[in-house]
Amino acid sequence: MSRLDINTPSQAQKVVEGIYRDIERRIAASPPGLCPVDMALSFLTLCLAQTCGKCVPCRIGLSQLCTLIRQVLDGEAEESTVDLIDKTADTIVQSADCAIGIEAARMVLSGVRGFREDYLSHVRTGNCLGRHENPVPCVALCPAGVDIPGYIALVHEGRCEEAVRLIRKDNPFPAACGYICEHPCEARCRRNMVDNAINIRALKRYAVDNAQPSAPPALAEATGKRVAVIGGGPGGLSAAYYLAIMGHSVTVYEKRKQLGGMLRYGIPAYRLPREVLDNEISYILSTGIQVKTGVDVGVDVGYDALREEYDAMYISIGAHTDKKVGIEGEGSEGVISAVKLLGGIGDGDMPDFTGKQVVVIGGGNVAMDCVRSSIRLGADKVSCIYRRRRADMTALDEEVDGAEAEGAQMMCLQSPKRIETDENGHCVALWTVPQIIGEIGSDGRPKPHAKRDTPELRIPADVIIVAVGQGIETFGINADAVNVSRGTIKALPSGQMKDSDGVFAGGDCVTGPATVIRAIAAGKVAAANIDEYLGYHHVIASDVEIPHPSLSNKLPHGRINAVERLPAERCSDFECIECGMSAQGAEQESSRCLRCDHFGYGNFRGGRRERW
């Protein structure tokens, strides 16, 4: 007889694993707007099936929560039931023995508190508060609300000019976003239920790269109203573009020599070619927008003077000041900020790092831009210092992978301690304290702390680049008229400044450093609300006819990803690293779209939004 047997998965185990994978795919493809009460019950039921049954809070409490939530959904509950769900979940969180019960109850607790009105709506009316607009996941997750299924269908038919025109209805930067958008729209693409999300960003770039130049958009009749936009970045130019289309006279004030904001002064040319950006800005300006560059509001022209001269004002000054690490020697020669480095590169000021050892502090996309730019500037060695794990970096995975492929060294779990200098006050090394990962923080990431009995690490450095965040420059802004608190301007969700009539603000200066598409969305919102403030209700629409969907089967199909130039070739110049899709690739990838805007859930929830 044998003492042991080789443990191989049974058919039942294989089936269960397949079910779990299917559940994962469906969760990944769950569209925003689904009933949060129903979702809570579904997750709770799954967690209840996984409980070990050891402790009463988990064994009995989770079952009781399921019963209470079912009563809410079935219309059998009272308002006091919602309070009982809150109390029961909180008790389980405090008393369960293990994470199975604690995390399941915490999910219910955060839901009942965050979506309390949804629970009460079920109790009072038997209906959910789920919104009936933007039902398609990709559209709902695009901050600007771009009609993504529509332009993908147009790309599939080879109608690239119309695809770009449709995008510009909600986003005047189709080219920039086609090259560098972080594509939040792909996060819950329902194609995940079949195989993988559609490569939406690449299809947008294909449309832009293959569209013929188009005439400026038609403008509404002139209103005689004047609007000042402070800041010529993506947010400010988006607001200016739509306000100009609405017939208002718009003047953009930009502090730097050129327009573009972080598109020019924060994103290197190898990601967003300058000719692409310049062409996009030229199209926006073709609407008749006046531009005054090299004008620092608060220095060259007074804030109050502008407010008196114009009927309305939009502040979109971005986040162009650097933040400090706060370590000894940070003011030494050779220590520069990411904002200064990338800003200089944006104006064509290329520092020579030939033969130097460069150390970049930070783990976000800006840090990766500094790392990869330093390699192209001739650095002999580039190291990226980050105090958390690589998995905790906020940079996109493809940016980190690209930096490593080009020769950068990622040194994670190292916290900067001090900067060593020579007799001339120039940096020669960065000293770090090795870290060990710890408890999960409020941001969902584990906190690092110093590793015991481990010596500090000395990292030689001729140049040290600090990329740990950005802030806004508030000098010159009237503190009585503009509320600035903790480094950001305070504004309502509409963009309106509270207690400051006719003044709006949006983008990074309000939210803190965020993405380009969020700045664009803020500009779109501001334009609509400024138009209303001025006494109008102009409608932005598109005359593009969306193709009817095909009835052919959508079989599983591999996702077509963008191809990049070889690392050895691309790391020596600032030419675009990513190659666009071929016509065949775009045709295949666009054919994978399930057309959620027309079938099933999208059709049931009201279809597309054709105007705003």
Side-chain angles (χ1 to χ4, degrees), residues 77-97:
E78 301 177 353
E79 291 192 16
S80 59
T81 307
V82 179
D83 295 323
L84 182 57
I85 291 172
D86 186 305
K87 183 177 179 180
T88 303
D90 189 41
T91 301
I92 297 172
V93 169
Q94 301 299 326
S95 59
D97 286 348

Side-chain angles (χ1 to χ4, degrees), residues 121-427:
S121 179
H122 275 285
V123 172
R124 294 166 181 166
T125 68
N127 296 315
C128 187
L129 287 179
R131 295 173 62 187
H132 290 269
E133 58 184 39
N134 281 355
V136 180
C138 57
V139 178
L141 287 175
C142 174
V146 174
D147 186 351
I148 293 168
Y151 80 70
I152 289 179
L154 290 165
V155 168
H156 186 65
E157 291 198 352
R159 297 160 58 186
C160 291
E161 291 83 6
E162 293 171 280
V164 171
R165 196 159 76 244
L166 181 62
I167 295 169
R168 282 197 172 115
K169 176 178 73 72
D170 300 286
N171 174 4
F173 284 94
C177 289
Y179 278 78
I180 55 86
C181 185
E182 293 189 338
H183 46 80
C185 51
E186 296 181 17
R188 294 200 179 277
C189 174
R190 289 175 69 78
R191 183 75 198 199
N192 276 309
M193 293 190 294
V194 180
D195 35 55
N196 295 107
I198 306 292
N199 194 338
I200 296 172
R201 182 180 67 81
L203 288 172
K204 183 185 296 164
R205 176 180 167 180
Y206 177 83
V208 171
D209 287 348
N210 291 274
Q212 295 299 316
S214 58
L219 307 183
E221 183 180 349
T223 64
K225 299 294 184 179
R226 305 179 66 210
V227 182
V229 175
I230 304 176
L237 289 177
S238 295
Y241 174 78
Y242 291 120
L243 287 167
I245 292 177
M246 294 171 183
H248 307 302
S249 175
V250 184
T251 302
V252 175
Y253 291 84
E254 170 55 44
K255 180 179 179 180
R256 292 182 179 268
K257 294 187 291 185
Q258 301 181 77
L259 297 175
M262 278 300 181
L263 289 174
R264 185 181 304 277
Y265 296 107
I267 297 176
Y270 65 81
R271 290 179 58 201
L272 178 59
R274 291 299 172 253
E275 61 272 17
V276 172
L277 177 60
D278 291 339
N279 290 338
E280 192 128 86
I281 292 175
S282 295
Y283 182 86
I284 291 172
L285 298 183
S286 70
T287 58
I289 299 167
Q290 300 297 309
V291 175
K292 296 185 178 182
T293 55
V295 177
D296 189 354
V297 174
V299 177
D300 302 315
V301 60
Y303 169 88
D304 293 329
L306 286 181
R307 185 64 196 93
E308 291 178 5
E309 182 180 352
Y310 292 90
D311 298 295
M313 178 184 292
Y314 181 52
I315 302 173
S316 183
I317 57 178
H320 294 270
T321 63
D322 59 284
K323 289 187 177 180
K324 305 294 184 183
V325 181
I327 58 176
E328 178 187 342
E330 194 168 2
S332 308
E333 289 291 324
V335 180
I336 59 177
S337 70
V339 171
K340 181 178 179 181
L341 174 70
L342 297 176
I345 292 174
D347 273 333
D349 180 15
M350 302 289 189
D352 185 6
F353 288 169
T354 302
K356 295 183 178 180
Q357 298 186 78
V358 178
V359 171
V360 178
I361 302 174
N365 286 322
V366 173
M368 294 306 113
D369 287 338
C370 292
V371 167
R372 303 179 77 172
S373 294
S374 297
I375 292 171
R376 287 159 174 77
L377 293 170
D380 184 57
K381 180 181 179 182
V382 181
S383 303
C384 182
I385 309 302
Y386 186 56
R387 67 191 187 96
R388 299 178 187 264
R389 302 171 303 178
R390 188 187 189 282
D392 301 319
M393 284 184 167
T394 57
L396 293 174
D397 288 339
E398 54 261 38
E399 288 297 315
V400 182
D401 293 341
E404 288 185 317
E406 292 168 5
Q409 180 182 21
M410 298 294 154
M411 301 182 67
C412 299
L413 290 173
Q414 296 290 336
S415 180
K417 178 67 178 296
R418 66 182 184 279
I419 294 173
E420 178 185 339
T421 59
D422 59 18
E423 61 276 7
N424 299 316
H426 195 286
C427 67

